[in-house]
Amino acid sequence: MLTKEELLLYIENEKQAILQRGEAFFQCAELGFCELQTAEKITNLLDEWGVSYQKEVALTGVIATIGKGVGYHIGFAADIDALPRKDGNGTIHSCGHSIQTTMALSVLKALSDSGIVEQTDGRVSFFFTPAEEYIDFAYRDGLIEEGKLEFRSGKQNMIALGCFDGVDCVLSAHANGEEEAKFDIGSTLAGFMAKKAVFIGRAAHSGAAPHLGRNTLHGAVLAMNAISFLKDQFAAECGLRLNPVLTEGGGSVNVIPDRTVLETYVRANDNETLFQACQRVDACFEHCAKALELQCFISNTAGYLPLKQSKELNKTVRQNMLLFCKSEEIIENPVSGASGDVGDLSFLLPTIQFGFSGVKGRFHDDSFMVSDYENCYITSAKVVLGAIYDLLTEKSRRVYPQKFQQSKKEYLGRLRTKE
Ligand SMILES: [Zn+2]
Ligand SMILES: [Zn+2]
């Protein structure tokens, strides 16, 4: 069997092709559940490399498996979606998901070309997952109404479709904004719930008879204030984040607004805080509405769960990082207020997501760009490949899901219940 060093050469020797692919995927920025060209690029490569796959999974997802062993089933999840540009001019990979896509393909090709998986008792599946960014609800909810999807995110749908049944662990990676370090490991990701409060009041002439109206904008503004005071009552480590936005305000300036919509995510680092904060935000909506004789209708959509990382898997990943950097170049256990549907996977089975640096500009902004090609595309792929090598060849490193089916039932039960 190849040594790890020999296996890693499969990436080193492909460097130019990998960097070109990275650029091509970065240029191919498509919103969630619209990633048709991205999926086609992926499947074209898989065809060229003779790797079989399933496509159109949760509309635009692709799954490819290397090896047939039943001893241990490793998953690597790569997001493929992009975001709208802030300047309104099309789309951009401003969260760096194209880097993950490229990384997955580099690791997949090295495993496929080397034939190493077939010499072990394991197999490795690559999940190219659509629609990680939690946006574009009108489009996605339309797809749900048409029966083409069940949920708003790629991994949520793939979980419901059974794509992760029988997978023993999931590895993933995400760009981070760090300049001082090469990698981060053990990061939190917050969980969140999406909330929408519709305030209904009474319209009236704002000059002649404002007192006859019941101003819904006032109700929403009052609720926003209550919510901002509420944040004070949670400890910093809970990671509570509340940033409400008015998605519908008033109409004409001479009319007292009679319908205002306030939406917010409730984000928290753990399930307990998330649950509690949701109830208290509801109380802010309801009581502020009541104070001004308005009606308030609240609807909730379950977002993503907090990420709980597997310490055992992270140990293996960290050892592989150390092949390429010093320990002070690895940030340990950072706290992040961001969220991802990889958190949902971590509720079901041992999961990790490490961070890699090498991007600059702001995330979710048009200024985002890849700056360190070596770290993003080459070194990070080697870390993943090295960790997979270890899991395939050393059984003591393997961790398995506990009660997968039971957790999945509980998880889907919660997603399917709308308050
Ligand atoms: Zn993002
Ligand atoms: Zn992202």
Side-chain angles (χ1 to χ4, degrees):
M1 191 188 288
L2 292 177
T3 64
K4 190 193 286 183
E5 289 65 34
E6 288 165 336
L7 179 62
L8 294 178
L9 282 178
Y10 278 84
I11 287 188
E12 186 62 30
N13 295 338
E14 285 266 311
K15 212 178 223 178
Q16 285 318 312
I18 290 172
L19 295 181
Q20 276 172 15
R21 280 204 292 275
E23 187 55 25
F25 279 108
F26 187 74
Q27 295 304 335
C28 185
E30 298 170 292
L31 298 184
F33 299 124
C34 298
E35 308 97 328
L36 294 168
Q37 288 180 43
T38 305
E40 198 185 341
K41 274 192 199 318
I42 294 167
T43 54
N44 283 346
L45 287 166
L46 296 174
D47 285 334
E48 192 185 315
W49 302 338
V51 175
S52 60
Y53 54 83
Q54 272 175 272
K55 61 176 182 175
E56 294 165 16
V57 185
L59 285 186
T60 46
V62 178
I63 304 174
T65 302
I66 308 286
K68 292 192 172 62
V70 292
Y72 197 59
H73 189 175
I74 303 165
F76 183 81
D79 301 324
I80 60 173
D81 61 321
L83 288 128
R85 286 182 64 98
K86 289 281 161 251
D87 63 10
N89 246 330
T91 49
I92 177 173
H93 268 296
S94 54
C95 205
H97 294 177
S98 58
I99 310 170
Q100 299 176 31
T101 309
T102 308
M103 190 185 299
L105 288 164
S106 307
V107 175
L108 181 154
K109 184 163 198 294
L111 292 175
S112 169
D113 287 355
S114 64
I116 194 158
V117 186
E118 288 76 3
Q119 298 168 43
T120 72
D121 67 339
R123 68 191 137 133
V124 186
S125 289
F126 292 84
F127 298 88
F128 296 92
T129 60
E132 189 281 328
E133 299 293 348
Y134 200 75
I135 54 170
D136 208 9
F137 300 152
Y139 170 65
R140 294 187 193 180
D141 292 348
L143 294 171
I144 292 170
E145 268 165 43
E146 287 168 46
K148 292 180 177 164
L149 289 173
E150 189 175 0
F151 306 115
R152 286 175 170 177
S153 107
K155 294 188 197 70
Q156 290 174 338
N157 282 285
M158 285 168 117
I159 290 168
L161 289 168
C163 301
F164 292 95
D165 291 23
V167 176
D168 290 311
C169 72
V170 173
L171 312 179
S172 66
H174 199 291
N176 68 24
E178 287 299 331
E179 284 174 22
E180 306 299 311
K182 296 275 184 211
F183 298 106
D184 73 64
I185 195 147
S187 169
T188 62
L189 281 180
F192 72 94
M193 172 84 92
K195 281 193 172 290
K196 182 176 181 180
V198 181
F199 292 84
I200 302 292
R202 193 160 70 222
H205 193 297
S206 61
H211 61 285
L212 296 179
R214 290 294 175 264
N215 191 326
T216 50
L217 198 50
H218 289 172
V221 167
L222 199 58
M224 281 171 88
N225 279 300
I227 286 167
S228 70
F229 297 143
L230 175 67
K231 287 191 271 195
D232 252 17
Q233 299 184 358
F234 286 82
E237 58 270 23
C238 297
L240 180 65
R241 293 268 199 288
L242 293 163
N243 293 287
V245 289
L246 286 170
T247 50
E248 279 180 53
S252 312
V253 283
N254 60 352
V255 179
I256 297 292
D258 64 347
R259 180 186 158 90
T260 299
V261 180
L262 188 59
E263 293 187 63
T264 189
Y265 282 179
V266 180
R267 292 184 157 104
N269 286 343
D270 58 87
N271 282 313
E272 177 58 29
T273 306
L274 187 60
F275 181 66
Q276 220 189 82
C278 281
Q279 287 186 327
R280 301 210 42 202
V281 167
D282 286 354
C284 292
F285 290 148
E286 284 160 9
H287 295 288
C288 291
K290 209 167 182 182
L292 297 175
E293 287 194 345
L294 303 165
Q295 285 179 291
C296 182
F297 301 94
I298 302 168
S299 57
N300 295 315
T301 307
Y304 300 156
L305 294 179
L307 173 62
K308 187 168 170 280
Q309 302 227 21
S310 159
K311 288 196 172 66
E312 294 89 341
L313 290 174
N314 269 337
K315 206 168 136 192
T316 294
V317 173
R318 189 175 180 279
Q319 284 168 357
N320 282 281
M321 290 174 175
L322 287 172
L323 301 175
F324 308 102
C325 72
K326 302 190 210 74
S327 65
E328 54 267 35
E329 290 175 306
I330 304 173
I331 297 174
E332 311 269 349
N333 310 318
V335 174
S336 168
S339 300
D341 56 3
V342 70
D344 295 38
L345 283 175
S346 77
F347 186 75
L348 306 174
L349 72 171
T351 300
I352 65 107
Q353 180 166 84
F354 73 85
F356 54 88
S357 58
V359 298
K360 60 180 190 192
R362 285 191 304 281
F363 277 78
H364 291 195
D365 184 77
D366 298 352
S367 60
F368 184 94
M369 60 192 285
V370 179
S371 53
D372 182 344
Y373 293 86
E374 182 77 22
N375 204 56
C376 282
Y377 293 119
I378 309 301
T379 315
S380 299
K382 286 179 182 173
V383 168
V384 175
L385 186 58
I388 289 174
Y389 181 91
D390 290 345
L391 290 168
L392 287 172
T393 57
E394 293 174 50
K395 290 185 180 167
S396 62
R397 293 179 181 273
R398 297 176 178 179
V399 278
Y400 294 86
Q402 309 287 324
K403 306 179 199 155
F404 178 89
Q405 286 304 336
Q406 191 187 319
S407 308
K408 186 176 147 187
K409 208 174 147 196
E410 186 186 330
Y411 167 77
L412 290 176
R414 185 163 40 204
L415 271 192
R416 285 171 179 153
T417 320
K418 280 197 174 188
E419 280 173 50

